[in-house]
Amino acid sequence: MTQAISQLLDKTHYFKGLKCKECGAEYEAKAIHVCEYCFGPLEVNYDFSSLRGRITRQDIEAGPNSIWRYRQFLPVETNDPIDMGTGMTPLLKSHRLARQLGLKNLYIKNDAVNMPTLSFKDRVVSVALTRARELGFTTVSCASTGNLANSTAAIAARAGLDCCVFIPSDLEAGKVLGTLIYGPTVMSVHGNYDQVNRLCSEVANTHGWGFVNINLRPYYSEGSKTLGYEVAEQLGWELPDHIVAPLASGSLFTKIYKGFREFVEVGLVADKDVRFSGAQAEGCSPIAQAYRENRDFVTPVKPSTIAKSIAIGNPADGAYALDIARKTNGNIESVTDAEIVAGMKLLAETEGIFTETAGGTTIAVLKKLVEAGKINPDEKTVVYITGNGLKTVEAVQGAIAEPFTIEPKLESFERALERAQTLDRLEWQPSLV
Ligand SMILES: *Cc1c(COP(=O)(O)O)cnc(C)c1O
Ligand SMILES: [Zn+2]
């Protein structure tokens, strides 16, 4: 083996540094996220030219059963990342939901069962904390709408990092408990997410902590690309025709796009025009409003919705998400809280997947787009389910059936069954008797 080839094979990382998304200024790969010249956001800059044609589908398939099979595309240097089995969640072909909506080619990417904390945030945090450790941070932190705090606390515990997270004080009980159990310091802030985020920017400047979604944001956000890579791989190394995903800051949406483009760039999948459609809750829909009003800037709003995990009134990547939806011939829609609950029930009853409010939002928007003729029945459409319903039980309380309470006696059961049948809550199959 020549020295040049062995060096290439030994190379563990392909990211060069950071680059401003607006003016292109380049920076070292440190814990910074804002351009000094134009205040634009910084993004990780790669050298994929040396990877093109040299990384094969088989190389990736032979990797770990987690996001780290795509390590060459992620901004870490180590060969030993924090790997809790995050990623490689199921991509299910939908039958019953698809039929109900009149679609023929619908797939569900189910991050409601992502590891370790049952939301897509485990992807971004795995990458951010692996990088945080490399950069020498011993305390990590975040400004969270709930799921991010769960992931940061859990993965920090696993990595032995100190952790202090900030959440708005009105979060669902499951999200708060699902953070506290890992033993971090939790700051419950009287204010909405945007106020929490502003406070955290000040803390980041004064305490030298690694905030996954502030000073580590360029690394953190790259983790979302794996939701693009996995879908391409799970579709048999092919891009879909259309994706529907929820929008909070807009980061996830833009990074699925980036993931698809990178796979095309290195030659792992054939190029294709993928349509990108985004979902917001009407009570916090600054990006959908800008889309509707044909604006290329996003006006901040004050959130008021049950979809708390995606309630960001001042979305950092809103303008980039708008641009992607427009240039790919997609859409951005919003739905009411009642439609969100109906969306959660619809997914549960047709596909056996209990998602949280963000997933209910995405399903309700999918339905709305189909009804408006904005998704063709034949398009290979992937809907991204990003969180688990057990964390937001408040949202469906009062909207679902009660159990039948009975005595441990056969006749008590028979009476209840009769009531159930008249209520038509149970499919009666006489042939089985
Ligand atoms: C954070 C979050 C999102 C969206 O994240 P952004 O990248 O900020 O747009 C979507 N779904 C769930 C469940 C989330 O927790
Ligand atoms: Zn700049």
Side-chain angles (χ1 to χ4, degrees):
M1 203 184 285
T2 68
Q3 204 193 350
I5 291 177
S6 72
Q7 263 173 4
L8 184 73
L9 293 178
D10 287 345
K11 189 168 175 178
T12 57
H13 65 279
Y14 290 83
F15 73 104
K16 295 195 298 188
L18 303 177
K19 192 174 178 177
C20 174
K21 264 186 106 161
E22 291 298 323
C23 76
E26 295 193 16
Y27 296 85
E28 275 179 63
K30 292 189 298 201
I32 45 173
H33 69 297
V34 182
C35 178
E36 282 173 20
Y37 304 103
C38 76
F39 301 106
L42 303 184
E43 194 166 50
V44 180
N45 190 18
Y46 295 85
D47 171 21
F48 284 141
S49 58
S50 51
L51 203 56
R52 196 190 153 84
R54 290 207 174 82
I55 185 155
T56 66
R57 296 169 177 180
Q58 290 74 25
D59 294 335
I60 291 173
E61 287 163 357
N65 191 39
S66 72
I67 59 165
W68 297 107
R69 69 210 276 111
Y70 309 110
R71 189 172 56 82
Q72 284 91 341
F73 298 86
L74 297 172
V76 301
E77 294 171 41
T78 178
N79 264 324
D80 186 24
I82 307 167
D83 189 353
M84 297 183 72
T86 301
M88 291 309 282
T89 53
L91 180 73
L92 298 172
K93 176 91 202 262
S94 164
H95 300 295
R96 301 190 67 232
L97 176 63
R99 199 176 320 128
Q100 187 128 339
L101 297 178
L103 295 176
K104 299 197 186 108
N105 231 337
L106 177 67
Y107 291 80
I108 302 165
K109 180 59 173 168
N110 186 11
D111 258 20
V113 294
N114 202 11
M115 288 289 128
T117 70
L118 310 177
S119 87
F120 103 93
K121 291 294 197 307
D122 294 327
R123 298 172 182 274
V124 281
V125 173
S126 295
V127 174
L129 295 197
T130 297
R131 186 67 186 146
R133 211 167 54 172
E134 283 178 353
L135 290 170
F137 287 103
T138 54
T139 301
V140 292
S141 187
C142 66
S144 173
T145 56
N147 285 317
L148 186 59
N150 295 170
S151 291
T152 303
I155 300 174
R158 169 83 181 168
L161 294 163
D162 290 330
C163 181
C164 175
V165 300
F166 296 74
I167 53 174
S169 57
D170 69 345
L171 282 193
E172 301 93 343
K175 296 241 166 108
V176 180
L177 185 148
T179 299
L180 287 169
I181 189 67
Y182 304 108
T185 303
V186 178
M187 297 289 168
S188 180
V189 182
H190 285 299
N192 61 36
Y193 172 81
D194 300 286
Q195 293 169 305
V196 173
N197 195 43
R198 221 166 303 133
L199 168 64
C200 286
S201 296
E202 292 178 47
V203 179
N205 285 335
T206 50
H207 279 259
W209 293 351
F211 276 81
V212 300
N213 57 340
I214 300 178
N215 50 358
L216 295 168
R217 189 172 179 85
Y219 309 98
Y220 153 95
S221 59
E222 289 288 288
S224 290
K225 295 190 306 185
T226 60
L227 270 175
Y229 304 147
E230 280 174 28
V231 161
E233 182 179 347
Q234 290 170 324
L235 286 174
W237 298 100
E238 195 185 285
L239 299 183
D241 297 313
H242 202 151
I243 70 106
V244 183
L247 302 167
S249 72
S251 174
L252 157 71
F253 192 74
T254 63
K255 295 292 177 165
I256 294 171
Y257 179 83
K258 189 167 186 250
F260 288 163
R261 296 316 307 163
E262 287 174 352
F263 263 21
V264 171
E265 189 187 336
V266 301
L268 283 166
V269 295
D271 202 357
K272 192 189 228 184
D273 292 328
V274 184
R275 300 173 68 197
F276 275 67
S277 291
Q280 294 211 289
E282 208 149 286
C284 183
S285 52
I287 310 175
Q289 282 170 23
Y291 185 85
R292 217 170 289 140
E293 293 162 14
N294 247 320
R295 285 185 271 119
D296 58 7
F297 60 92
V298 175
T299 309
V301 301
K302 206 167 159 226
S304 170
T305 169
I306 57 166
K308 296 175 197 279
S309 60
I310 51 171
I312 297 185
N314 188 9
D317 293 294
Y320 300 115
L322 270 176
D323 180 50
I324 288 171
R326 289 197 177 116
K327 77 183 176 198
T328 63
N329 193 26
N331 282 282
I332 297 179
E333 258 301 352
S334 61
V335 287
T336 64
D337 284 359
E339 289 173 301
I340 291 168
V341 172
M344 292 168 73
K345 289 176 70 178
L346 178 62
L347 184 66
E349 290 172 11
T350 56
E351 299 289 352
I353 295 172
F354 184 18
T355 184
E356 65 148 86
T357 46
T361 305
T362 311
I363 293 295
V365 164
L366 172 75
K367 182 166 182 280
K368 199 165 173 177
L369 292 175
V370 173
E371 285 166 358
K374 291 173 174 169
I375 294 178
N376 307 325
D378 292 316
E379 278 184 300
K380 190 171 278 187
T381 301
V382 175
V383 62
Y384 283 90
I385 298 303
T386 49
N388 193 295
L390 287 171
K391 294 194 199 182
T392 62
V393 290
E394 292 91 338
V396 290
Q397 250 145 26
I400 51 176
E402 293 282 323
F404 292 91
T405 305
I406 62 170
E407 299 308 315
K409 299 214 172 68
L410 190 57
E411 60 273 30
S412 179
F413 158 71
E414 294 292 357
R415 271 199 308 277
L417 187 60
E418 240 165 69
R419 261 186 299 141
Q421 284 159 3
T422 42
L423 284 169
D424 203 21
R425 278 182 192 154
L426 199 72
E427 261 180 19
W428 180 236
Q429 296 181 308
S431 61
L432 293 180
V433 181

